[in-house]
Amino acid sequence: MDRLQQLQQLMAHGHCAESMSKIHNSRNRISRLIETYFYYIKECIKKDFPSLSFMRNHIGNEGAIYGGFIDTVGEIEPVRRNAFVGDCNASFTSNQYNIHLCWVRHNSKLKVIATGHSHVHIDCFENSSVEVVISSPTAKVYINQYGSSHVQISGHCECAVCKIHDTETYK
């Protein structure tokens, strides 16, 4: 059974018909599966779907070029939307006028350096930790911190907004 069939079987339990249709139309292409994950990311995170073991077994390193980082270690080249799941220990620099959306989960560690006029939006969950260095007074960083995640901000801290939520995940 290929990953598309397994994912469709898993989705039969509690996901909407629209999301199942999008998965079916992905035709087992990683780019479209990752795109679907980002489209439904709030529901996926709420339901812990797909599971980390599924992502490790069926997406793995193939998802990185589309922003799906699973157990990634080292400096990465970010795309507009980035999900760090598993045991990532990654870092990236956001520069110029770039905008990056990030979701950090499980035991992942992420270091972000914000420069220029960049904007970075980060949602961190579970036991993840995020370190943000804001090296420009024109950069902006917005962080939503959930559960037992950890956030450390340095540099131009006045350019950061951190909202701490008293829930483990999205409501």
Side-chain angles (χ1 to χ4, degrees):
M1 183 180 322
D2 67 11
R3 70 178 151 224
L4 178 60
Q5 291 171 321
Q6 286 189 332
L7 190 56
Q8 287 172 329
Q9 276 186 339
L10 289 170
M11 289 185 74
H13 304 288
H15 273 265
C16 64
E18 182 183 345
S19 64
M20 291 172 67
S21 175
K22 261 185 118 84
I23 290 293
H24 178 73
N25 291 336
S26 73
R27 303 211 192 301
N28 210 18
R29 290 178 32 206
I30 291 290
S31 62
R32 289 193 175 170
L33 289 171
I34 298 291
E35 181 183 311
T36 302
Y37 179 72
F38 283 126
Y39 189 83
Y40 293 101
I41 195 145
K42 283 192 175 185
E43 289 304 313
C44 287
I45 289 174
K46 272 196 239 180
K47 296 177 181 180
D48 193 25
F49 182 85
S51 69
L52 179 56
S53 62
F54 180 88
M55 288 192 275
R56 282 177 171 152
N57 292 333
H58 298 287
I59 296 174
N61 294 333
E62 290 179 70
I65 61 173
Y66 308 107
F69 298 97
I70 302 164
D71 300 327
T72 300
V73 175
E75 182 82 18
I76 60 112
E77 187 63 39
V79 293
R80 181 162 169 81
R81 297 176 299 186
N82 306 275
F84 299 90
V85 299
D87 294 310
C88 290
N89 190 355
S91 62
F92 72 85
T93 300
S94 180
N95 54 25
Q96 299 177 355
Y97 288 90
N98 289 319
I99 298 172
H100 298 288
L101 308 173
C102 302
W103 292 267
V104 186
R105 299 189 59 206
H106 306 110
N107 296 314
S108 292
K109 292 176 177 56
L110 176 65
K111 179 177 181 176
V112 176
I113 300 170
T115 67
H117 294 272
S118 63
H119 280 222
V120 182
H121 299 258
I122 304 169
D123 287 1
C124 47
F125 306 90
E126 291 127 3
N127 195 34
S128 64
S129 82
V130 173
E131 178 186 353
V132 177
V133 178
I134 306 171
S135 62
S136 168
T138 54
K140 299 289 183 209
V141 177
Y142 303 93
I143 302 169
N144 286 305
Q145 185 177 356
Y146 294 88
S148 59
S149 59
H150 307 281
V151 174
Q152 179 181 348
I153 302 168
S154 61
H156 291 276
C157 297
E158 71 278 5
C159 298
V161 175
C162 185
K163 185 171 182 184
I164 300 171
H165 299 270
D166 62 352
T167 59
E168 291 295 314
T169 186
Y170 298 121
K171 290 183 183 180

